[in-house]
């Protein structure tokens, strides 16, 4: 391991981050808008100064705002409220889900409901941190390749603080996600191709434009925002870890960061050490990580996505191998479900708990059901299911069956005749 001198840019004063570190060879570099190791081209990750993380206590967190920024002492950027980019993401509800638990034959189940974020998906967490870093680096334009939710969130957060945004999406995205991005009046570029095509294009553009690409050059900072989904669940359970978590996977980043968060909380003594198992969920039509798990592969073979779960449709997932490591290390499992099953998952969550999830949430519910059936999830162990997005963004998934019970003329007689009077 080389130990290059590391330094912290002035705009990162107060950050517990000490630099970036290569996930493969351990090469260290200073905090900068870079995402691959100059020695081996593997992805870079934020490295923290343990002594600075140790300044964080349960009390200091609890005294913070009702947003992800209560964990500022555990995040790489955004310590300075003057450059922080904040629409109020985080501290979403952890709902007990007794009716869904009963339907699935489980003893204790919670839904961590991230549809309650400002732009209605978990992406507000990562974008808030990424754009805070981008501002600290002095960028005036931010950009991203998106499967939909990221586009919504980047456009909204950038607009909120007067940054310019240039957002790239596959042109066949759901209407709800296109409208919810375009409405902010930023630049929206629809590309005739799938997400992996858009992402490849963005990597090329990133080499020539001095922009902060949320999931390219500032990806190490972006990814850290997902840790807050681990911190919050532990805090909301009364400062302890759940026994099992079920998490949807696109690139696989979110899953790895929930595990990282649980590890940090344990190491810092903010929760007692306790075993937990991490489970990953994908749609069969784009299941490169779950398929690698199924087959016992260490590498993830790219696929061409073909599923209505567009927010999870990354055929070449950057964090796939790391997600496999986490799931194997914790004794969890992965599963994948068909589009028909994910629609059933949306329906089941809605009908049991009154929570309307987007397709990714349907994938997670249906995968949990399958993992239970296969004996891979323990029905007696307390479990948290992550719902990462809002059903209003993907209404087409259930629109055909979600219609009025009956349509009648505007008269009492017509109502009586409809058969629905008591
Ligand atoms: C982006 C996204 C995910 C997961 O993303 P990762 O790339 O695996 O971190 C999950 N659910 C929804 C709704 C998303 O938009
Ligand atoms: Zn390296």
């Amino acid at each position: 391991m080389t130990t290059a001198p590391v330094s912290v840019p002035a705009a990162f004063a107060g950050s517990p981050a000490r630099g970036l570190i290569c996930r493969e060879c351990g090469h260290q570099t200073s905090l900068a808008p870079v995402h691959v190791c100059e020695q081996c081209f593997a992805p870079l990750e934020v490295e923290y100064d343990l002594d600075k993380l140790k300044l964080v206590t349960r009390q200091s967190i609890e005294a913070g705002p009702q947003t992800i920024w209560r964990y500022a002492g555990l995040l790489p950027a955004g310590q300075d409220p003057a450059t922080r980019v904040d629409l109020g993401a985080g501290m979403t509800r952890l709902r007990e889900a007794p009716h869904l638990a009963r339907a699935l034959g489980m003893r204790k189940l919670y839904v961590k409901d991230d549809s309650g974020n400002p732009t209605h998906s978990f992406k507000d967490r990562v974008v808030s941190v990424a754009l805070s870093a981008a501002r600290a680096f002095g960028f005036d334009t931010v950009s991203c390749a998106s499967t939909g939710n990221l586009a919504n969130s980047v456009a909204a957060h950038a607009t909120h603080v007067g940054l310019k945004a240039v957002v790239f999406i596959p042109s066949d995205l759901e209407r709800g996600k296109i409208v919810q991005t375009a409405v902010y009046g930023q630049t929206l570029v629809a590309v005739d191709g799938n997400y992996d095509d858009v992402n490849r294009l963005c990597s090329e553009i990133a080499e020539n434009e001095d922009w902060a690409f949320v999931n390219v050059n500032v990806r190490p900072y972006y990814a850290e925002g997902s840790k807050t989904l681990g911190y919050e669940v532990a805090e909301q359970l009364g400062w302890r870890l759940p026994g099992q978590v079920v998490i949807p996977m696109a690139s696989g980043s979110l899953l790895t960061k929930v595990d990282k968060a649980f590890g940090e909380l344990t190491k810092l003594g903010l929760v007692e050490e306790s075993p937990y198992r991490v489970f990953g969920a994908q749609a069969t039509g784009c299941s490169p990580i779950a398929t690698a798990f199924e087959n016992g592969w260490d590498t993830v073979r790219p696929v061409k996505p073909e599923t209505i779960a567009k927010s999870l449709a990354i055929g070449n997932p950057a964090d796939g191998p790391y997600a496999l490591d986490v799931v194997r290390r914790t004794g969890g499992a992965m599963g994948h479900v068909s589009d028909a099953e994910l629609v059933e998952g949306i329906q089941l969550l809605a009908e049991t708990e009154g929570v309307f999830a987007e397709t990714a949430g349907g994938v997670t519910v249906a995968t949990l059901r399958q993992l239970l059936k296969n004996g891979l999830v323990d029905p007696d162990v307390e479990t948290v299911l992550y719902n990462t997005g809002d059903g209003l963004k993907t209404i087409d998934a259930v629109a055909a069956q979600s219609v009025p019970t009956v349509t009648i003329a505007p008269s009492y007689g017509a109502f009586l005749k409809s058969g629905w009077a008591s």
Side-chain angles (χ1 to χ4, degrees):
M1 186 164 117
T2 47
T3 45
V6 291
S7 68
V8 175
F12 284 82
S15 169
R18 62 182 298 273
L20 299 175
I21 185 164
C22 174
R23 283 163 120 178
E24 296 298 330
C25 78
H27 177 68
Q28 294 169 307
T29 66
S30 304
L31 291 176
V34 292
H35 69 299
V36 289
C37 174
E38 60 191 0
Q39 305 270 321
C40 76
F41 303 106
L44 295 171
E45 184 173 35
V46 175
E47 191 187 24
Y48 295 93
D49 185 334
L50 191 58
D51 288 335
K52 288 191 181 152
L53 293 182
K54 280 184 178 157
L55 299 173
V56 174
T57 63
R58 289 182 186 177
Q59 292 70 26
S60 71
I61 291 169
E62 287 165 357
Q66 291 293 321
T67 67
I68 61 165
W69 293 106
R70 66 204 280 107
Y71 307 106
L74 304 173
L75 295 170
Q79 284 71 31
D80 179 1
T83 52
R84 178 183 295 170
V85 180
D86 179 20
L87 269 178
M91 287 310 271
T92 55
R93 288 180 182 82
L94 181 69
R95 304 174 187 273
E96 274 198 56
H99 309 292
L100 179 59
R102 201 167 311 125
L104 295 172
M106 301 184 79
R107 197 187 295 257
K108 189 110 183 154
L109 178 63
Y110 293 88
V111 174
K112 176 60 171 169
D113 188 8
D114 245 19
S115 66
N117 273 312
T119 75
H120 308 277
S121 85
F122 107 89
K123 289 298 196 298
D124 290 329
R125 299 172 182 275
V126 284
V127 168
S128 188
V129 176
L131 296 204
S132 296
R135 259 183 141 189
F137 287 126
F139 288 101
D140 58 16
T141 303
V142 296
S143 186
C144 70
S146 175
T147 57
N149 287 318
L150 187 61
N152 296 172
S153 188
V154 166
H157 281 83
T159 304
H160 183 64
V161 296
L163 286 166
K164 273 186 289 190
V166 185
V167 171
F168 296 84
I169 56 167
S171 58
D172 70 347
L173 220 51
E174 299 97 336
R175 255 170 72 83
K177 288 182 182 161
I178 294 174
V179 172
Q180 217 200 134
T181 307
V183 72
Y184 304 108
Q186 298 272 5
T187 305
L188 176 61
V189 182
V191 179
D192 288 327
N194 63 30
Y195 171 80
D196 299 284
D197 298 321
V198 178
N199 195 41
R200 214 166 21 243
L201 172 64
C202 279
S203 297
E204 211 176 315
I205 296 171
E207 283 178 22
N208 297 293
E209 297 285 352
D210 192 20
W211 298 346
F213 279 81
V214 166
N215 43 3
V216 185
N217 53 348
V218 294
R219 186 174 174 86
Y221 310 90
Y222 156 97
E224 293 297 288
S226 290
K227 293 194 301 182
T228 59
L229 260 177
Y231 301 146
E232 280 177 25
V233 163
E235 183 180 352
Q236 289 170 320
L237 288 173
W239 292 113
R240 58 185 182 79
L241 304 182
Q244 303 180 124
V245 290
V246 191
I247 303 172
M249 300 183 293
S251 72
S253 175
L254 168 61
L255 182 144
T256 67
K257 297 298 176 178
V258 169
D259 170 66
K260 186 176 181 182
F262 288 172
E264 285 177 353
L265 292 178
T266 306
K267 197 159 62 181
L268 297 172
L270 296 171
V271 299
E272 250 173 61
E273 180 162 10
S274 67
Y276 60 88
R277 300 200 290 156
V278 179
F279 297 86
Q282 293 201 296
T284 301
C286 184
S287 53
I289 315 176
T291 298
F293 180 83
E294 207 170 22
N295 291 293
W297 302 335
D298 288 330
T299 55
V300 173
R301 302 185 190 175
V303 301
K304 196 162 181 293
E306 198 63 64
T307 171
I308 61 167
K310 292 184 194 292
S311 58
L312 302 181
I314 298 185
N316 189 9
D319 291 274
Y322 303 108
L324 287 168
D325 287 347
V326 167
V327 166
R328 287 175 178 146
R329 193 191 74 235
T330 61
M334 293 183 183
H336 55 85
V337 293
S338 69
D339 285 1
E341 289 170 309
L342 84 80
V343 169
E344 284 173 24
I346 295 174
Q347 205 69 58
L348 181 62
L349 179 60
E351 290 176 1
T352 53
E353 296 296 341
V355 173
F356 184 22
E358 77 145 81
T359 46
V363 165
T364 313
V365 172
T367 300
L368 171 59
R369 186 166 69 175
Q370 182 197 78
L371 292 168
L372 283 161
K373 197 156 42 173
N374 295 340
L376 295 165
V377 165
D378 185 341
D380 293 325
V381 170
E382 185 180 65
T383 302
V384 174
L385 179 141
Y386 284 88
N387 174 40
T388 46
D390 192 323
L392 289 173
K393 295 205 197 198
T394 60
I395 54 171
D396 285 347
V398 288
Q401 74 229 46
S402 303
V403 294
T405 309
V406 63
T407 302
I408 61 170
S411 75
Y412 187 57
F415 177 62
L416 285 178
K417 248 195 274 168
S418 76
W420 288 96
S422 55

